[in-house]
Amino acid sequence: MLLKLQNLHKVYKSGTHALKGVSFEVREGEFLVVIGLSGSGKSTLLRCINRLLEPTSGTIEFMGQDITHVKGEELRHVHQQIAMVFQNFNLVKRRSVLTNVITGRLASLSTVDSVLERFSPEVYEEAFQALRTVGIEEKAKERADALSGGQQQRVAIARSLMQYFEKINNELGTTIICSLHFLSLVRRYATRVIALRQGGIIYQGDPKDINKEWFKTIYGEEAEEVEIR
Amino acid sequence: MKTTEAENIEPRELFMRGKEWQNRNNFVKAVLLDVFLVFYALILLQRVIYYKLILDLREVPFGWPQLGAVFIVSVVLGASWAFTRTSLATRLFKLHRDNNITKWNVEIFAWLLFDLTFIAGWVVTKISIVDLFSAEGIHGANRIFSAMFHPNMGIFDDALSAIIETIYLALIATLLSIPPTFLVSFFTARNLMRENKITFAIYYILRIVFNFVRSIEPLIWAIIFSVWVGIGPYAGMIALLVHSVASNAKLYSEAIEGIEEGPVEAMVATGANRIQVVWYAVVPQIVLPFLSFTIYRWDINVRMATVIGLVGGGGIGTMLMQYQGLARWNEVGLIVLMIAFVVWVMDYISARVREAIY
């Protein structure tokens, strides 16, 4: 089992109880999609999994190791092994696309080298490879904020690919946990789906089994499904 | 979504409870403020209106028992006034009774306070129309102005080298202030230091130290350093340096506090260490504000350098003080013109450069 969550709770300082006892497991190579209304706890869940947030209670096991409350060097190691693509890109706007992509590899570079921006040819090669993968190699020298929204998200994906390259994925297959809103995309890509509502899991299983009734439970009575193809 | 501590309470009720508590808190503040305002008004009435204007005493008598008596009177008056909920302070905190009595009370008392303050200011400043328009005074002013409009070009070369000294002094102070300010500003930025207690303590102590240093004017630093390292441009430079570091550290760290947090989160998520996070996610966002602040600081330092020259900080200020002491107004005229020109040029250049950056 790659990832195992048990009875995970997250209470923010403001008192918001965002996750209320979430438990599930993720196998290697799965494409798990998390769905739910805004405010249902999707982002909190994802941030807890890669430990940008510390859960209030419960446990997270990642590759057999309990990472629920790890700190310092260990926490950085966890971050290094899980790549994250953000909803709003979070690029460093004033730097070039290439530099932004390379920042995905910072954890494996020495502090001095990274501050002096002394990168080895292999790092550049990997960065260009990542940009080629997302199809915007020709934008490498441009400033990140000169790109369109979609292109910026590609840069963010390329940045996460830099983490992916030398990682476990080659042996185990890429595992993805993703938050989506369009059910047609969920049906097309997900191998498994989890629906959150008010911080708890209300549906877990095959995306093809989500029928009209489940849809109403997840998104509320008034919601209607929109198809995109 | 519900809160943990009060699982069964409606959010609205929770909000109203908070409001009630806030009102109680505010009422205490209102009472204190009323007491203070009444005390202030009584003191001004007694010391300025009665002693100064009516009795026209040269020396106003001072005694603690008398002051205490006024204080007790104002405590009684102010508190009981606040409890009627028609006072100025209850109006300010919006805890007043909404009727005409409150309206009149507030209006009359507010005007009384303003008038008393204005009169006290007038008396303390010793404003005198007679002095401004006395024949003797105008004659003296005439002499100085006419001398200033005929600057003595004989000392132009001396004044030029003095003003160049001032400009370089300000430049060196600004340049030397950059590295320490840059380093220290990360430690005085709340968003980078709040995570654990030790760093937060460092942040807090540094803030207090810099607030203290900044609240001492460069003029006073110049006096201190002219005793320490001797009168001259060196003392002036150190004085400006100290003040620049303290002032810019605040501006720099505010720029750091204002950055977008997204890139920081993204860098943390890649597993980068603290220094890498700061270098890649924070620094690119603050380089331009830093540059802009620094150029503006040079501009400020040139003006400051002139002023601290008056107390022995070297440069054109020291020269100005010497000629003013000798009452050689033609020379003073030249120096004033040169200072005005340099300040104008610096102002223009720094504004243009800062515009070009953004």
Side-chain angles (χ1 to χ4, degrees):
Chain A
M1 207 55 67
L2 186 71
L3 184 73
K4 192 172 171 187
L5 274 70
Q6 264 174 337
N7 198 22
L8 205 67
H9 282 264
K10 174 67 191 174
V11 182
Y12 285 104
K13 268 192 191 139
S14 61
T16 308
H17 201 154
L19 291 180
K20 296 170 185 166
V22 174
S23 312
F24 63 86
E25 294 177 350
V26 184
R27 277 187 306 279
E28 293 83 359
E30 266 196 285
F31 195 124
L32 176 71
V33 170
V34 185
I35 58 175
L37 285 174
S38 50
S40 60
K42 301 186 295 295
S43 290
T44 306
L45 177 63
L46 294 182
R47 281 185 160 77
C48 279
I49 289 173
N50 88 332
R51 280 302 320 283
L52 279 176
L53 289 175
E54 189 169 353
T56 314
S57 66
T59 56
I60 306 172
E61 256 179 57
F62 177 62
M63 303 208 309
Q65 185 205 353
D66 183 358
I67 61 161
T68 323
H69 300 291
V70 292
K71 282 191 167 63
E73 198 56 50
E74 274 183 296
L75 179 60
R76 277 205 289 281
H77 191 65
V78 171
H79 284 150
Q80 203 180 340
Q81 287 172 303
I82 306 175
M84 179 124 172
V85 180
F86 294 85
Q87 191 169 10
N88 44 0
F89 332 135
N90 288 349
L91 298 180
V92 183
K93 294 195 177 113
R94 309 195 71 94
R95 305 304 303 270
S96 71
V97 167
L98 190 65
T99 311
N100 266 289
V101 174
I102 288 173
T103 56
R105 272 288 298 270
L106 282 180
S108 54
L109 301 171
S110 82
T111 307
V112 177
D113 277 350
S114 50
V115 167
L116 296 176
E117 308 196 7
R118 222 164 35 191
F119 307 120
S120 65
E122 293 89 67
V123 172
Y124 282 114
E125 188 40 54
E126 279 177 32
F128 274 106
Q129 178 59 44
L131 281 173
R132 223 170 288 143
T133 309
V134 297
I136 47 168
E137 198 187 2
E138 73 282 359
K139 302 277 187 191
K141 285 289 169 200
E142 275 181 52
R143 249 174 69 155
D145 58 358
L147 270 56
S148 74
Q151 287 173 323
Q152 287 189 36
Q153 189 60 289
R154 287 174 189 224
V155 177
I157 293 169
R159 178 173 65 188
S160 66
L161 287 178
M162 289 295 279
Q163 273 175 269
Y164 152 79
F165 267 106
E166 54 179 8
K167 292 290 160 296
I168 38 179
N169 300 281
N170 292 340
E171 302 147 38
L172 304 175
T174 313
T175 313
I176 296 174
I177 304 176
C178 172
S179 160
L180 279 178
H181 279 294
F182 286 108
L183 276 183
S184 47
L185 293 179
V186 175
R187 289 198 188 96
R188 178 149 170 202
Y189 293 105
T191 57
R192 200 149 63 87
V193 67
I194 282 177
L196 290 178
R197 184 165 182 173
Q198 292 185 354
I201 294 182
I202 54 163
Y203 179 87
Q204 182 164 194
D206 196 305
K208 295 187 177 60
D209 295 340
I210 300 183
N211 52 25
K212 274 229 162 65
E213 262 167 66
W214 271 113
F215 182 81
K216 297 274 188 210
T217 333
I218 297 167
Y219 287 105
E221 282 302 322
E222 297 91 42
E224 261 178 56
E225 197 177 340
V226 183
E227 285 287 325
I228 56 167
R229 288 165 205 282
Chain B
M1 243 170 245
K2 283 174 183 164
T3 57
T4 43
E5 70 217 61
E7 197 73 47
N8 305 315
I9 300 172
E10 288 281 307
R12 188 178 166 278
E13 200 183 319
L14 211 65
F15 174 78
M16 295 312 282
R17 259 190 222 178
K19 197 90 181 156
E20 231 170 76
W21 188 82
Q22 201 188 353
N23 277 351
R24 220 169 299 150
N25 209 4
N26 277 349
F27 185 66
V28 175
K29 287 186 204 160
V31 172
L32 291 177
L33 184 60
D34 263 328
V35 168
F36 170 76
L37 290 177
V38 172
F39 180 67
Y40 175 72
L42 287 181
I43 285 287
L44 287 189
L45 270 175
Q46 182 206 20
R47 306 188 77 78
V48 177
I49 307 294
Y50 184 63
Y51 287 147
K52 271 284 184 191
L53 286 183
I54 298 177
L55 298 184
D56 199 17
L57 297 179
R58 197 169 286 264
E59 290 278 322
V60 177
F62 182 88
W64 285 111
Q66 189 197 30
L67 213 64
V70 175
F71 183 70
I72 289 165
V73 170
S74 47
V75 168
V76 173
L77 275 178
S80 47
W81 195 28
F83 274 101
T84 64
R85 305 237 173 192
T86 55
S87 67
L88 178 59
T90 51
R91 174 74 186 80
L92 288 177
F93 284 104
K94 298 198 165 42
L95 299 167
H96 59 290
R97 262 184 250 272
D98 203 5
N99 57 24
N100 273 343
I101 302 174
T102 311
K103 204 179 143 199
W104 285 109
N105 264 342
V106 168
E107 244 168 59
I108 293 172
F109 190 55
W111 270 112
L112 181 74
L113 280 179
F114 178 77
D115 293 343
L116 281 177
T117 307
F118 187 79
I119 293 168
W122 186 282
V123 170
V124 168
T125 333
K126 300 195 171 83
I127 291 179
S128 158
I129 311 281
V130 179
D131 285 350
L132 191 59
F133 292 106
S134 73
E136 197 186 334
I138 288 179
H139 180 69
N142 235 340
R143 212 174 51 222
I144 291 177
F145 277 124
S146 64
M148 278 193 179
F149 283 113
H150 301 92
N152 180 355
M153 297 307 281
I155 59 155
F156 182 77
D157 49 348
D158 283 349
L160 188 66
S161 64
I163 206 157
I164 286 171
E165 189 176 287
T166 295
I167 295 171
Y168 274 87
L169 181 163
L171 177 67
I172 287 293
T174 313
L175 287 179
L176 289 184
S177 78
I178 295 173
T181 318
F182 184 79
L183 273 182
V184 100
S185 60
F186 293 102
F187 295 97
T188 54
R190 197 186 180 84
N191 53 347
L192 300 183
M193 301 296 282
R194 69 182 158 208
E195 266 157 44
N196 72 53
K197 283 188 182 119
I198 300 166
T199 55
F200 198 72
I202 296 172
Y203 156 84
Y204 214 79
I205 293 167
L206 279 177
R207 277 261 155 142
I208 292 172
V209 169
F210 281 119
N211 279 338
F212 181 70
V213 172
R214 198 170 46 245
S215 62
I216 300 174
E217 284 290 309
L219 197 69
I220 296 160
W221 282 118
I223 293 172
I224 293 169
F225 284 112
S226 64
V227 174
W228 191 337
V229 301
I231 287 176
Y234 185 40
M237 195 281 284
I238 301 181
L240 287 180
L241 176 61
V242 169
H243 196 258
S244 297
V245 171
S247 307
N248 269 358
K250 186 177 172 65
L251 292 176
Y252 282 20
S253 49
E254 271 169 12
I256 296 174
E257 283 166 9
I259 61 161
E260 239 186 289
E261 289 285 341
V264 176
E265 199 183 23
M267 290 302 108
V268 170
T270 65
N273 65 36
R274 272 190 99 72
I275 296 171
Q276 290 170 327
V277 171
V278 168
W279 188 257
Y280 279 94
V282 181
V283 171
Q285 296 193 56
I286 53 177
V287 166
L288 289 191
F290 276 25
L291 208 57
S292 166
F293 292 145
T294 306
I295 292 167
Y296 189 45
R297 183 59 53 185
W298 184 26
D299 179 14
I300 294 172
N301 278 348
V302 171
R303 295 159 204 236
M304 289 269 198
T306 314
V307 177
I308 62 173
L310 300 178
V311 295
I316 194 85
T318 303
M319 196 174 175
L320 177 66
M321 186 195 61
Q322 284 162 357
Y323 282 107
Q324 182 257 338
L326 297 170
R328 292 173 60 177
W329 302 115
N330 298 80
E331 284 80 356
V332 169
L334 178 75
I335 293 169
V336 168
L337 281 180
M338 289 179 71
I339 292 171
F341 176 73
V342 167
V343 167
W344 175 72
V345 170
M346 286 299 303
D347 192 64
Y348 180 78
I349 292 175
S350 97
R352 289 310 290 267
V353 172
R354 278 180 290 132
E355 252 172 53
I357 286 175
Y358 273 113

